[in-house]
Amino acid sequence: MKVLIIGFGNMGRTYARGFLASRFILPHDLYILDKVSQHTEARSIQVPEDQIHYTPGDFVTQADIIIMAVKPQDFPALAESVRPYIREHQVVLSVMAGVRIASIADSMGATRIVRSMPNLPAQVGMGMTVFTATPQMDMKELFIVQNLINTTGKSLHVEREEMLDAATAISGSGPAYVFYFMQSMIQTAVRMGFTDSEAELLVQQTFIGAVHLQSKGENTCSEWIQKVASRGGTTEAALKVFESEHTASGIHDALYAALNRAKELGN
C-alpha cells in the first residue's frame, strides 16, 4: 500500500513518523508533496529523496491513500492542481479543519473520502481523532484508515459529519482547556510558595495520575470526586467555590461557543 502525504507541516510529519514507527508503512511506500523544501525533515524519517515532490505529477496516481494535511486556506488552489491525477479507487483522508466532505469531493473529484479531526497530542502518539467517511468506503478501507490513524493515538468513527464540529469543540480544542486549567493551578502554586519547577511537577503529575485513575473505568468521575472529597475537608471547600462560581456552567458555555464557531468556520 502506498501513501501520499500532501502538506508536510506538523500533522503531515506526525502521520509520517507514526506510520513508519509502527511499520504499517515502509519508507519506499511513502510519498510527500509540499510547496516548500522538506528534504531535511523527510530525510530524518528515511523517505527517499526521489519520493519528495513540490508539484503534483503522475506519482499522485500511484497512491492508494492520499492524506490532505494542508492549511484549509491552501486547499482550493492545491485541489485544482491535484485533481487531474485523482483516480476513483483512491482514498482521500483529510485532516483539514473546517473543510467539508462535499467541498473535498467537488474540488478533487474524489468519492472515497475520510474526514477526520485529530488533536495536538497526536504528535506524541497520544492523540484523539474523530472521523467519518463517505458511503463509497467499504469496511476493509475503513479498517485500514483507522489503523493508520491509530498509529498516532486512538480514534472514534462517527456516522454523521456534523459530529466533527462537536469533536472539534471537545477533543480538538480540548488540550488547550487542560493547559488553561494547569496553568492556573501552577500560577497559584507559585503564589503559595513553590518554585516554578516544583509547581509544574506538582500539577503535571496530579493530572497524569488522575487521568490514569479515571481511565481504569472502575468509577465515574463523580465517584472519584467523592473518594477525594471528604465531608468538611479541603477538597470540599474548593468544590464549593467551583459551585458558587458556576464553573460547570461556564465550561458548558465555553464548549458550545467552540462548537458554534466550528460550524461558522465550516460554512
Side-chain angles (χ1 to χ4, degrees), residues 32-44:
I32 295 166
L33 172 60
D34 197 274
K35 62 184 179 181
V36 296
S37 176
Q38 296 288 357
H39 276 83
T40 302
E41 291 83 353
R43 193 180 296 117
S44 70

Side-chain angles (χ1 to χ4, degrees), residues 98-168:
V99 181
R100 307 291 189 194
I101 286 177
S103 177
I104 298 170
D106 291 343
S107 300
M108 297 183 66
T111 57
R112 289 175 166 79
I113 302 170
V114 177
R115 183 184 165 204
S116 67
M117 171 47 62
N119 67 2
L120 191 63
Q123 294 184 13
V124 292
M126 294 292 289
M128 181 67 232
T129 300
V130 180
F131 70 98
T132 191
T134 56
Q136 290 85 349
M137 293 280 296
D138 61 35
M139 290 300 296
K140 179 182 177 182
E141 290 168 331
L142 275 177
F143 180 74
I144 291 171
V145 169
Q146 187 160 26
N147 279 339
L148 284 172
I149 291 172
N150 286 349
T151 64
T152 64
K154 295 187 177 182
S155 62
L156 174 67
H157 174 254
V158 294
E159 294 290 340
R160 295 180 292 126
E161 184 180 8
E162 57 263 34
M163 291 305 297
L164 265 67
D165 290 331
T168 301

Side-chain angles (χ1 to χ4, degrees), residues 210-211 213-215 217-229 239:
V211 168
L213 276 176
Q214 196 275 337
S215 67
E218 296 173 357
N219 296 288
T220 65
C221 288
S222 293
E223 289 169 340
W224 281 121
I225 290 171
Q226 292 306 311
K227 285 181 178 294
V228 181
L239 293 173

Side-chain angles (χ1 to χ4, degrees), residues 13-89:
R13 290 195 292 269
T14 293
Y15 276 110
R17 293 191 185 103
F19 300 163
L20 297 176
S22 66
R23 298 192 65 79
F24 201 82
I25 300 294
L26 299 177
H28 63 264
D29 291 323
L30 183 62
Y31 294 79
I32 295 166
L33 172 60
D34 197 274
K35 62 184 179 181
V36 296
S37 176
Q38 296 288 357
H39 276 83
T40 302
E41 291 83 353
R43 193 180 296 117
S44 70
I45 56 174
Q46 299 180 333
V47 175
E49 290 195 14
D50 62 354
Q51 290 170 206
I52 306 168
H53 302 272
Y54 310 115
T55 57
D58 290 335
F59 67 92
V60 175
T61 66
Q62 300 175 31
D64 299 295
I65 297 178
I66 299 172
I67 299 177
M68 299 297 297
V70 300
K71 295 177 180 178
Q73 61 266 32
D74 294 335
F75 172 68
L78 180 64
E80 184 178 352
S81 66
V82 170
R83 183 179 180 123
Y85 304 100
I86 300 299
R87 300 295 180 260
E88 184 180 356
H89 72 279

